[in-house]
Amino acid sequence: MKSNLKKASLLFTGILVGGKLFAQTPDTTRASDYVKPFSGDDAFRTWSIGVSGGVLTPYTIIGSNRKQDFTSPKANLGYGVYIKKQITPAVGIQADFLGGKLGADNSQVNSFGNTYDSYSTKLHYAASLSANVTVGNISWHDNKSAIQPYVSVGGGTMHYTPVLTSGGTSTNFRTDNGGAINEFYIPVGVGVKFNIAKGINLDLGYQVSFVYSDNVDGFNYGSNNDRFSYAHAGLEFALGKKSKPQMAVHNPVSSMRTEYMMENQNTKNQLQAQIDAQKAQNDQLKADLATTNANLAKFTADSDGDGVPDFYDKCPNTPAGTKVDGAGCPLPVAKDVKVYVTEADRQVAREAVKNLEFDFGKATIRQHSDESLNKLAQLMVAKKFSLKLSGYTDNVGSVEANLKLSRARAEAVKTYLATQGVEPSKITAEGYGKASPIASNKTAKGRQQNRRVEFSLY
């Protein structure tokens, strides 16, 4: 047993020293660890392989060891390899292979009075498929995770050959199939991984395998199935492009922080560039304005205060309060002219109202309304009439929308008449929305009548 413990100790030491050598290469590169948040699996290394060595023993930290078939468990050298596919940063599927030897001395006395001095079981292989769950892989102090505690559970088959020794004579437990046995077992493990270099992890773990039989030691005592443990140290190597981070150790919080810092810096640079460009533009505008003010100073003097600069004033020294034209000369005093609106004139306005239609929900005048509006425009130009336009809508829609639409329709009529020669100052346009309906809004015909613009000549 001392020889086996020495071998296991040397194996642990070698792995730890190797880990220290790897760890001496500082991982200061952070850009290579960055992955855009919410990227797919292609952005990571999701496959890895691992090797391990350690101690195989029937002694376990779970359950009562006093009730095992042999009372003095031995520690023997074990070894293992695995391949793992990481599904998410926290969950991976792992295929394990475990080999080595189990042994113990001093059997219990079974119900037949049989005892054995020792047993030695060659574990040809134990192959299993397990779920490996990382308990935590985010470091809030470092950009890259450093430690990942994990748990695992699975199931598989093991192929082994138990040999019993009594009185110096060794015999196989089974006489058929070369003494070999195949059994189902359930491995349950815990451990912790240390990131010693990019894509390389030191794996320290402890696994208890529960066998679905009582044949591992070749001796039946009591009603308990056999179990054994494997305490190990090993190295895990990520497969794939070295430029990609390993999913199992990736820190998504770091990537989100990097993304934020990059976007923040880009935004800051863009804003600074815009500020600098705006400052340069403002400086140029100030210079241009100063030049323009200097050139226009001579055009701003207005000695008589009539609103026309002296440079353009053809009639200087106009008395205060006198209305002048663009040349600064007094405007002729307009004589009051009385305007009379006849019944025939009102009939022209009524025809224009009767034939006026708009597109539904719009301020677009339909073409067949043009003829009546043209006659009204000719009348207003000829007799210098003024016109008040009052726009109305039906009750479909909100109050605010109807007010806006009624004003727009009145303005549309005003614009049309202005294009026909009527002075815009002769026309006032108001909108009253769905107020003052002239027909029922419960029928399509009534609503059509309520969508109108009323004309008042004066």
Side-chain angles (χ1 to χ4, degrees), residues 73-93:
K74 295 180 180 180
N76 292 287
L77 183 65
Y79 52 88
V81 297
Y82 66 82
I83 183 169
K84 184 177 70 168
K85 167 65 176 177
Q86 200 71 26
I87 307 301
T88 70
V91 179
I93 301 299

Side-chain angles (χ1 to χ4, degrees), residues 236-250:
E236 179 184 36
F237 302 90
L239 303 178
K241 293 183 179 180
K242 293 183 179 180
S243 59
K244 297 181 180 181
Q246 185 180 356
M247 178 183 284
V249 303
H250 177 64

Side-chain angles (χ1 to χ4, degrees), residues 377 381 411-425 427:
V381 172
E411 289 291 342
V413 175
K414 178 179 179 179
T415 300
Y416 182 85
L417 293 174
T419 62
Q420 302 302 310
V422 181
E423 292 184 19
S425 61
I427 307 171

Side-chain angles (χ1 to χ4, degrees), residues 48-60:
S48 61
I49 59 173
V51 295
S52 66
V55 177
L56 271 174
T57 175
Y59 178 84
T60 64

Side-chain angles (χ1 to χ4, degrees), residues 176-349:
D176 58 338
N177 198 28
I181 301 173
N182 291 313
E183 298 285 1
F184 176 77
Y185 78 107
I186 297 176
V188 178
V190 296
V192 62
K193 292 181 181 179
F194 299 88
N195 312 136
I196 57 178
K198 186 173 182 178
I200 302 176
N201 308 313
L202 175 64
D203 183 6
L204 303 179
Y206 180 78
Q207 176 181 294
V208 176
S209 296
F210 298 89
V211 186
Y212 200 62
S213 76
D214 193 18
N215 298 324
V216 173
D217 52 19
F219 181 73
N220 292 324
Y221 171 76
S223 59
N224 295 324
N225 289 338
D226 289 329
R227 61 182 184 272
F228 60 92
S229 65
Y230 176 52
H232 64 273
L235 293 175
E236 179 184 36
F237 302 90
L239 303 178
K241 293 183 179 180
K242 293 183 179 180
S243 59
K244 297 181 180 181
Q246 185 180 356
M247 178 183 284
V249 303
H250 177 64
N251 186 346
V253 172
S254 174
S255 284
M256 293 178 70
R257 177 183 179 276
T258 302
E259 177 83 1
Y260 168 78
M261 295 298 292
M262 289 168 58
E263 291 182 355
N264 187 55
Q265 186 61 44
N266 290 338
T267 302
K268 182 179 179 181
N269 293 339
Q270 292 173 2
L271 289 175
Q272 187 60 50
Q274 293 175 5
I275 292 172
D276 294 341
Q278 190 63 50
K279 285 183 178 179
Q281 185 178 0
N282 291 343
D283 292 341
Q284 184 61 46
L285 288 174
K286 288 179 181 179
D288 293 343
L289 182 60
T291 302
T292 302
N293 289 337
N295 292 333
L296 294 179
K298 59 183 178 180
F299 299 112
T300 59
D302 182 11
S303 301
D304 56 9
D306 60 1
V308 179
D310 294 344
F311 186 82
Y312 300 104
D313 197 342
K314 294 181 179 181
C315 300
N317 303 318
T318 302
T322 304
K323 294 183 179 180
V324 298
D325 58 16
C329 296
L331 292 170
V333 179
K335 296 180 179 180
D336 293 335
V337 178
K338 292 184 178 181
V339 177
Y340 297 95
V341 181
T342 67
E343 182 61 28
D345 297 334
R346 292 189 177 93
Q347 183 60 33
V348 174

